[in-house]
Amino acid sequence: MLERARFAPSPTGPLHIGGVRTALFNYLIAKKSGGKFILRIEDTDSKRTTAGAEQHIIDSLKWLGLEFDEGPFKQSDRRSLYEKKVSFLIKEGLAYYAFDTSSELEEARKEAGNFKYNFNTRGNMLNSFTLTEEEVSSRLDRGGYVVRMIIPEKKNITVVDQVRGSLVFNTEELEDKIILKSDGMPTYHLANVVDDHDMKITSVIRGEEWLSSLPIHKVLYDHFKWKSPKFYHLPLILKSSGSGKLSKRDAEEQGHAVFAVRWEDSKGFKEAGFSPEGLINYLALLGWSNSSEKEKYTLQELINEFNDKDINKSGARFDYKKALWINHLHLKDFAADKLLSLSEEACAQLKKKYTREQSEEIIDLIKERLNVTLDINKELSVFLRQPKEYDTGVIEKITREIIFDVLNFCKLKESLISKPKALKEALMVFGSEKGISFGNIMKSLRLCLVGNLSGPDLFKIIEIIGPEEALNRIESLTNKI
């Protein structure tokens, strides 16, 4: 069966990575079958709609490569369809007008304690059941009413969730939910069900916070005599430590992003140096158990291997170190030209000093050391400029005398600096004669060229920066010590 899955966020704020994962799982289920991925903006709550949120959602999906086949559809443009469906339910006796004011509802809740507006209480409220046709007509003319759906009396509703199995809800615990608000706009429940049916959605994948809405939606499907789609309720993405789901505040405290792309003053994973491939890969592993120990997946590989039966029931804890590791796996396999395209600053700096071929060779040397694209600039510094400072701990550990001897030998063998292989062989002989370990020789030279003991292949550095620059750095550390 060709699946039709939709991502249906509300534009009430930026797209959290929990929402990104929901979009991803919808995308994977749709594409696994060769089906369609649809974007729908659920903007029926105008009071909570946030300027720029819809564009942030679209920008996030596009950066991640989750291209939608249809949409974006906006519920605010589909008002006439919802009105027709509400009229149908009222005509069939499956929904009714309610005129209770906020204060009257508040009073009813105070008196009843665990008040629920349903078959047990609707006979005591101001609605189509307790008012005459004339009174209903008069109140409709004045406005200020809502429409509620009818929940069946004392009935068990069984719904199958593809993640959790068969679930049973008793209607004693449910309310006659409002399906049309006093401003004439539908609520989430009605619009969601009507749109999913109208758009021929076959699978609904959403967060587990919507589990409580499942019986309400099943009743609506039954009222309309429509076949329900398959339902999947994804586990929460939990904070790195402690209980509860990952929030913006948690992410900020832990020093990482919570949005895919920038939102106002909050940097996204994009700005933090993540690749779309790395972030998508990591989010797929949050809540989905792949059958192998494989960690690195391209989007196409995820589509090929994703199995909805392997979606987890329990919450998935966000692990930033693991996210970095997964991103590293992608960066190190990128072609040099792609990495250069991800860092405009690095590209510009290299262009001033090296040819395109040399720049790509340098990138190939450093990419094993990259966790995020922001690391490119740091790792490039060895090829662009002399060290600004030196690790004094290394100087004291090796001893200044040994470092001085190694550097002086290199200065005396100036002709070998342009022949890194020959220089290496000469240094080995020198170390053997002087009783200096080759390890300390290499550390001395690396300290001189890099400023510390990390970095790519030492003799490749010398080859790329050239003999003149190498000798300048040797002189610089000699003067330092």
Coordinates of all heavy atoms in Angstrom, one line a residue, residues 273-321:
G273 N 26.8 23.9 13.7 CA 27.7 23.2 12.9 C 27.3 21.8 12.6 O 28.1 21.0 12.1
F274 N 26.1 21.4 12.9 CA 25.6 20.1 12.5 C 25.3 20.1 11.0 O 24.8 21.1 10.4 CB 24.4 19.7 13.3 CG 24.7 19.1 14.6 CD1 25.2 19.9 15.7 CD2 24.5 17.7 14.9 CE1 25.5 19.3 16.9 CE2 24.8 17.1 16.1 CZ 25.3 17.9 17.1
S275 N 25.4 18.9 10.4 CA 25.0 18.7 9.0 C 23.6 18.2 9.1 O 23.2 17.5 10.1 CB 25.9 17.7 8.3 OG 25.7 16.4 8.9
P276 N 22.8 18.5 8.1 CA 21.4 17.9 8.0 C 21.4 16.4 8.1 O 20.6 15.8 8.8 CB 20.9 18.3 6.7 CG 21.7 19.5 6.2 CD 23.0 19.3 6.9
E277 N 22.4 15.8 7.5 CA 22.5 14.3 7.5 C 22.8 13.8 8.9 O 22.2 12.8 9.3 CB 23.7 13.8 6.6 CG 23.4 14.1 5.1 CD 23.9 15.5 4.7 OE1 24.2 16.4 5.5 OE2 24.0 15.7 3.5
G278 N 23.7 14.5 9.6 CA 24.0 14.0 11.0 C 22.8 14.1 11.9 O 22.6 13.2 12.7
L279 N 22.1 15.3 11.9 CA 21.0 15.5 12.8 C 19.9 14.5 12.5 O 19.3 13.9 13.4 CB 20.5 16.9 12.7 CG 19.4 17.3 13.7 CD1 19.8 17.0 15.1 CD2 19.0 18.8 13.5
I280 N 19.5 14.4 11.2 CA 18.5 13.4 10.8 C 18.8 12.0 11.3 O 18.0 11.3 11.8 CB 18.3 13.4 9.3 CG1 17.5 14.7 8.9 CG2 17.6 12.2 8.8 CD1 16.0 14.6 9.2
N281 N 20.1 11.6 11.1 CA 20.5 10.3 11.5 C 20.3 10.1 13.0 O 19.8 9.1 13.4 CB 22.0 10.1 11.1 CG 22.6 8.7 11.3 OD1 23.6 8.4 10.7 ND2 21.9 7.9 12.0
Y282 N 20.8 11.1 13.8 CA 20.7 10.9 15.2 C 19.2 10.9 15.7 O 18.8 10.0 16.5 CB 21.4 12.1 15.9 CG 21.3 11.9 17.4 CD1 21.8 10.8 18.1 CD2 20.5 12.9 18.2 CE1 21.7 10.7 19.5 CE2 20.4 12.7 19.5 CZ 20.9 11.6 20.2 OH 20.8 11.5 21.5
L283 N 18.4 11.7 15.1 CA 17.0 11.8 15.6 C 16.3 10.5 15.2 O 15.4 10.0 15.9 CB 16.2 13.0 14.9 CG 16.7 14.3 15.5 CD1 15.9 15.4 14.7 CD2 16.4 14.4 17.0
A284 N 16.7 9.8 14.1 CA 16.0 8.6 13.7 C 16.3 7.5 14.8 O 15.5 6.6 15.0 CB 16.6 8.1 12.3
L285 N 17.5 7.6 15.4 CA 17.9 6.6 16.4 C 17.2 6.8 17.7 O 17.3 6.0 18.7 CB 19.4 6.5 16.5 CG 20.2 6.2 15.3 CD1 21.7 6.2 15.5 CD2 19.8 4.8 14.7
L286 N 16.5 8.0 17.9 CA 15.8 8.3 19.1 C 14.4 7.8 19.0 O 13.5 8.4 18.4 CB 15.8 9.8 19.4 CG 17.1 10.5 19.9 CD1 16.9 12.0 20.0 CD2 17.5 9.9 21.2
G287 N 14.2 6.6 19.6 CA 12.8 6.1 19.5 C 12.6 5.0 18.5 O 11.6 4.4 18.4
W288 N 13.7 4.7 17.8 CA 13.7 3.6 16.8 C 14.8 2.7 17.0 O 16.0 3.1 17.1 CB 13.7 4.1 15.4 CG 13.8 3.1 14.3 CD1 12.9 2.1 14.0 CD2 14.9 2.9 13.4 NE1 13.4 1.4 13.0 CE2 14.6 1.8 12.5 CE3 16.1 3.6 13.2 CZ2 15.4 1.4 11.5 CZ3 16.9 3.2 12.2 CH2 16.6 2.1 11.4
S289 N 14.6 1.4 17.1 CA 15.7 0.4 17.3 C 16.0 -0.3 16.0 O 15.2 -1.2 15.6 CB 15.2 -0.6 18.4 OG 14.9 0.0 19.6
N290 N 17.1 0.1 15.4 CA 17.5 -0.6 14.2 C 17.9 -2.0 14.5 O 18.5 -2.3 15.6 CB 18.6 0.2 13.4 CG 19.7 0.5 14.3 OD1 19.6 0.7 15.5 ND2 20.9 0.6 13.8
S291 N 17.8 -2.9 13.6 CA 18.0 -4.3 13.8 C 19.5 -4.7 13.9 O 19.8 -5.8 14.3 CB 17.3 -5.2 12.8 OG 17.7 -4.8 11.5
S292 N 20.4 -3.8 13.5 CA 21.8 -4.0 13.5 C 22.5 -3.0 14.5 O 21.8 -2.2 15.1 CB 22.4 -3.9 12.1 OG 22.4 -2.5 11.7
E293 N 23.8 -3.2 14.6 CA 24.5 -2.2 15.4 C 25.0 -1.0 14.6 O 25.8 -0.2 15.1 CB 25.7 -2.9 16.0 CG 25.3 -4.0 17.0 CD 26.5 -4.6 17.7 OE1 27.7 -4.2 17.4 OE2 26.4 -5.5 18.6
K294 N 24.6 -0.9 13.4 CA 24.9 0.2 12.5 C 24.5 1.5 13.1 O 23.4 1.6 13.7 CB 24.3 0.0 11.1 CG 24.7 1.0 10.1 CD 24.1 0.7 8.8 CE 24.3 1.8 7.8 NZ 23.8 1.5 6.4
E295 N 25.4 2.5 13.0 CA 25.0 3.8 13.6 C 24.8 4.9 12.5 O 24.0 5.8 12.6 CB 26.1 4.3 14.5 CG 26.2 3.5 15.8 CD 27.3 4.1 16.7 OE1 28.5 4.2 16.3 OE2 27.0 4.4 17.9
K296 N 25.6 4.8 11.4 CA 25.6 5.8 10.4 C 24.6 5.5 9.3 O 24.7 4.4 8.7 CB 27.0 6.1 9.8 CG 27.0 7.1 8.7 CD 28.4 7.3 8.3 CE 28.5 8.3 7.1 NZ 28.0 7.7 5.8
Y297 N 23.6 6.3 9.0 CA 22.7 6.2 8.0 C 22.5 7.4 7.1 O 22.4 8.5 7.7 CB 21.3 5.8 8.5 CG 21.2 4.5 9.2 CD1 21.4 4.3 10.5 CD2 20.7 3.4 8.4 CE1 21.2 3.1 11.1 CE2 20.6 2.1 9.0 CZ 20.8 2.0 10.4 OH 20.7 0.7 11.0
T298 N 22.5 7.3 5.8 CA 22.0 8.4 5.0 C 20.5 8.4 5.1 O 19.9 7.4 5.5 CB 22.5 8.2 3.6 OG1 21.8 7.0 3.0 CG2 24.0 8.1 3.5
L299 N 19.9 9.4 4.6 CA 18.4 9.5 4.6 C 17.8 8.4 3.7 O 16.8 7.7 4.1 CB 18.0 10.9 4.0 CG 16.4 11.1 4.1 CD1 15.9 10.9 5.4 CD2 16.1 12.5 3.6
Q300 N 18.5 8.1 2.6 CA 18.0 7.0 1.7 C 18.1 5.6 2.4 O 17.2 4.8 2.3 CB 18.7 7.0 0.4 CG 18.1 6.0 -0.6 CD 16.7 6.2 -0.9 OE1 16.3 7.3 -1.3 NE2 15.9 5.2 -0.8
E301 N 19.2 5.4 3.2 CA 19.4 4.2 3.9 C 18.3 4.1 5.0 O 17.8 3.0 5.3 CB 20.8 4.1 4.5 CG 21.9 3.9 3.5 CD 23.3 4.0 4.1 OE1 23.4 4.7 5.1 OE2 24.2 3.4 3.5
L302 N 18.0 5.2 5.6 CA 16.9 5.2 6.6 C 15.6 4.8 6.0 O 14.8 4.0 6.6 CB 16.8 6.5 7.3 CG 17.9 6.9 8.3 CD1 17.7 8.4 8.7 CD2 17.8 6.0 9.6
I303 N 15.3 5.3 4.8 CA 14.1 5.0 4.1 C 14.1 3.5 3.8 O 13.0 2.8 4.1 CB 13.9 5.8 2.8 CG1 13.7 7.3 3.1 CG2 12.8 5.2 2.0 CD1 13.8 8.1 1.9
N304 N 15.2 2.9 3.4 CA 15.2 1.5 3.0 C 15.1 0.6 4.2 O 14.5 -0.5 4.1 CB 16.6 1.2 2.3 CG 16.7 1.9 1.0 OD1 15.7 2.4 0.4 ND2 17.9 2.1 0.5
E305 N 15.7 1.0 5.4 CA 15.8 0.1 6.5 C 14.8 0.3 7.6 O 14.6 -0.5 8.5 CB 17.2 0.1 7.1 CG 18.3 -0.3 6.1 CD 19.6 -0.5 6.8 OE1 19.6 -0.9 8.0 OE2 20.6 -0.3 6.2
F306 N 14.1 1.5 7.5 CA 13.1 1.8 8.6 C 12.0 0.8 8.6 O 11.4 0.4 7.6 CB 12.5 3.2 8.4 CG 11.7 3.7 9.5 CD1 12.3 4.2 10.6 CD2 10.3 3.7 9.4 CE1 11.5 4.7 11.7 CE2 9.5 4.1 10.4 CZ 10.1 4.6 11.6
N307 N 11.7 0.3 9.8 CA 10.6 -0.6 10.1 C 9.7 0.0 11.2 O 10.2 0.1 12.3 CB 11.1 -2.0 10.4 CG 10.1 -3.0 10.5 OD1 8.9 -2.7 10.7 ND2 10.4 -4.3 10.3
D308 N 8.5 0.2 10.9 CA 7.6 0.8 11.9 C 7.4 -0.1 13.1 O 7.0 0.4 14.2 CB 6.3 1.3 11.3 CG 5.5 0.1 10.7 OD1 6.0 -1.0 10.7 OD2 4.3 0.4 10.4
K309 N 7.7 -1.4 13.0 CA 7.5 -2.3 14.1 C 8.6 -2.1 15.1 O 8.5 -2.6 16.3 CB 7.6 -3.8 13.6 CG 6.5 -4.1 12.5 CD 5.1 -3.9 13.0 CE 4.1 -4.2 11.9 NZ 2.7 -3.9 12.3
D310 N 9.7 -1.4 14.8 CA 10.8 -1.2 15.7 C 10.7 0.2 16.4 O 11.7 0.6 17.0 CB 12.1 -1.3 14.9 CG 12.3 -2.7 14.4 OD1 11.9 -3.7 15.1 OD2 13.0 -2.9 13.3
I311 N 9.6 0.9 16.3 CA 9.5 2.1 17.1 C 9.3 1.8 18.5 O 8.5 0.9 18.9 CB 8.2 2.9 16.6 CG1 8.5 3.4 15.1 CG2 8.0 4.2 17.5 CD1 7.3 4.1 14.5
N312 N 10.0 2.4 19.4 CA 10.0 2.1 20.8 C 8.8 2.7 21.6 O 8.3 3.7 21.1 CB 11.3 2.6 21.5 CG 12.5 2.0 21.0 OD1 12.5 0.9 20.4 ND2 13.7 2.7 21.1
K313 N 8.4 2.0 22.6 CA 7.3 2.5 23.5 C 7.8 3.5 24.5 O 7.1 4.5 24.9 CB 6.7 1.4 24.2 CG 6.0 0.4 23.3 CD 5.3 -0.7 24.2 CE 4.7 -1.8 23.3 NZ 4.1 -2.9 24.1
S314 N 9.0 3.3 25.0 CA 9.6 4.1 26.1 C 10.3 5.4 25.6 O 10.7 5.4 24.4 CB 10.5 3.3 27.0 OG 11.6 2.8 26.2
G315 N 10.4 6.4 26.4 CA 11.0 7.7 26.0 C 12.5 7.5 25.7 O 13.2 6.6 26.2
A316 N 13.0 8.3 24.8 CA 14.4 8.3 24.3 C 15.1 9.4 24.9 O 14.7 10.6 24.7 CB 14.4 8.3 22.8
R317 N 16.2 9.2 25.7 CA 17.0 10.2 26.3 C 17.9 10.9 25.3 O 18.7 10.2 24.6 CB 17.7 9.7 27.5 CG 18.3 10.7 28.4 CD 18.8 10.2 29.7 NE 17.8 9.6 30.5 CZ 16.9 10.2 31.3 NH1 16.9 11.6 31.3 NH2 16.0 9.6 32.0
F318 N 17.9 12.2 25.3 CA 18.7 12.9 24.4 C 20.2 12.9 24.9 O 20.4 13.3 26.0 CB 18.3 14.4 24.2 CG 19.0 15.1 23.1 CD1 18.5 15.1 21.8 CD2 20.1 15.9 23.4 CE1 19.2 15.8 20.8 CE2 20.8 16.6 22.4 CZ 20.3 16.5 21.1
D319 N 21.1 12.5 24.0 CA 22.5 12.4 24.4 C 23.3 13.3 23.4 O 23.5 12.8 22.2 CB 22.9 10.9 24.3 CG 24.4 10.7 24.7 OD1 25.2 11.7 24.8 OD2 24.7 9.6 25.1
Y320 N 23.7 14.4 23.8 CA 24.4 15.4 22.9 C 25.8 14.8 22.4 O 26.1 15.0 21.3 CB 24.6 16.7 23.6 CG 25.2 17.8 22.7 CD1 24.4 18.2 21.6 CD2 26.4 18.3 22.9 CE1 24.9 19.1 20.7 CE2 26.9 19.3 22.0 CZ 26.2 19.7 20.9 OH 26.6 20.6 20.0
K321 N 26.5 14.1 23.3 CA 27.7 13.5 22.9 C 27.5 12.5 21.8 O 28.3 12.4 20.8 CB 28.4 12.8 24.1 CG 29.0 13.8 25.1 CD 29.8 13.1 26.2 CE 30.4 14.1 27.1 NZ 31.1 13.5 28.3

